[in-house]
Structures are given as structure tokens and as C-alpha cells.
Amino acid sequence: MSDDRHQVLALDVAPDDANAVAAQVRSFLRRRRLAVPHPDAVDPTPHNTSTPRSPLPADLIGPGFTAKPHDSGRPGHDPLWDFISVHVPHDEDHRIWFLGDTTGPSDCRSCGTPFEDEPFWAAFNDWLEGPEPTLTCGNCAGTALTGDQDTSGSIVVSSVGIVTSGGCRDLIPELLGALRTDFGGRWCWVAYHP
């Protein structure tokens, strides 16, 4: 089992509403059988808490997904490695979700061009202090909110996250679709590779 994670993040939840929304998301995931409670399921090494490496309670990946976690059919695979959890960072400093050591600017959702470092990081710093900014692509001139760009290898600010184990990459499109269509709100994905 690795420390890799996949982070599906709510972009439109105020910090004061995070705990209530997290409870609704957890119920939604369980009703849809995307998550199944299990007493031994944990995220063993969460990275955006005040006490890193302290396990957080989680659920197991449920049978409601049509895709399956990577290696789930391999002999000796432990289903406890395939977890899903809903996480609310405990303070503002931990609302930052990022790729890891190689975190860089997002790519333009329209044309795939990476945003230039200086304007991207200036916009991100503004986001830490206030509302989510927009980014305009220097290549195609497409403009969108920062979280609506391709954030998979980048960084976002979010008060509620759904975290899955690293082997669940193939489940992310289905999870994003269910959240965006049936739960509602704006959601994005950021991988985590320490």
C-alpha cells in the first residue's frame, strides 16, 4: 500500500458549513453504495491534518462503483487498502489540497496549456485570502474560476474533501459525475503523490 491519494474537493462550501456538508456527503456516498462502513477502515496516513500519520476513520470502497480499484482482483489484495473518507480540515491552514512535491500551476481546461507560474501563484495566494479567483489562459484566452481548470496536478483551497486510496484513480470520473449530477455543487480532483 502506498501513501498516494486521490482528493475530490468541494469548491463552493464555506468553512462554517463544512461539517454539515461533510455529513451530507458521507450519507450520500453510503446511500449510493459508493462507500460502505467498516470498523477497521482508515486512511492510515492523511497529509492535511494537524497530526500527520494519525489514521482517520474511513469507509471501504462500495459496490456502487462500476469501475474497481486497481489491483482489487489480485490474489492477496486486502480490501481495507481501498478506502474512501470524507474529510474536513481542522483549520484554515489545512484547507490546501495539493499534488505533493511536484505541485505546479493548473493546466487550462480548454487547451491543456499550463498557466504561467507568477500569475498562477499570485491568484492562488489571493484565493487563500478571499474568494476564488479566475484564471485566463495566455494561449487560448479561455477564462474560468481556478478550481474549474485542470487541477489534477495542482493545488486548490477546499473546506471539504473526499479522499480515496491511491489505487482508486479509475473511480474518480464516476465519483465526480455522481457528485456533480446527483449531490450538486462544484467539485474538482487533485491527485496526491508525496
Side-chain angles (χ1 to χ4, degrees):
M1 185 160 93
S2 74
D3 289 345
D4 290 356
R5 302 284 183 274
H6 296 284
Q7 306 163 126
V8 175
L9 308 166
L11 294 171
D12 54 1
V13 176
D16 290 345
D17 299 330
N19 286 315
V21 171
Q24 294 167 358
V25 169
R26 190 174 295 108
S27 294
F28 171 79
L29 294 173
R30 289 175 176 175
R31 270 193 321 275
R32 293 284 298 263
R33 308 262 311 138
L34 301 173
V36 177
H38 190 285
D40 297 326
V42 295
D43 177 348
T45 56
H47 74 277
N48 63 340
T49 66
S50 62
T51 54
R53 308 287 180 199
S54 294
L56 290 175
D59 289 341
L60 296 182
I61 295 295
F65 283 103
T66 57
K68 300 296 174 219
H70 183 70
D71 285 340
S72 62
R74 184 180 48 81
H77 178 78
D78 186 344
L80 288 175
W81 294 347
D82 300 325
F83 69 83
I84 184 169
S85 65
V86 180
H87 182 64
V88 175
H90 76 284
D91 64 25
E92 286 193 18
D93 291 340
H94 292 90
R95 294 180 305 126
I96 300 169
W97 304 78
F98 56 94
L99 173 67
D101 291 343
T102 59
T103 298
S106 299
D107 295 341
C108 174
R109 175 74 62 199
S110 299
C111 72
T113 302
F115 288 95
E116 293 183 24
D117 279 339
E118 190 174 315
F120 175 82
W121 291 111
F124 181 76
N125 288 329
D126 288 345
W127 194 1
L128 289 172
E129 302 300 323
E132 181 181 5
T134 58
L135 293 172
T136 300
C137 179
N139 183 54
C140 73
T143 298
L145 289 169
T146 303
D148 290 337
Q149 304 294 351
D150 178 357
T151 60
S152 60
S154 192
I155 188 167
V156 301
V157 177
S158 175
S159 298
V160 176
I162 300 170
V163 180
T164 71
S165 49
C168 295
R169 181 183 181 108
D170 292 344
L171 282 59
I172 299 306
E174 191 173 349
L175 179 57
L176 282 167
L179 290 164
R180 291 171 176 162
T181 302
D182 299 330
F183 185 81
R186 291 178 54 238
W187 295 86
C188 71
W189 164 58
V190 177
Y192 177 69
H193 305 291

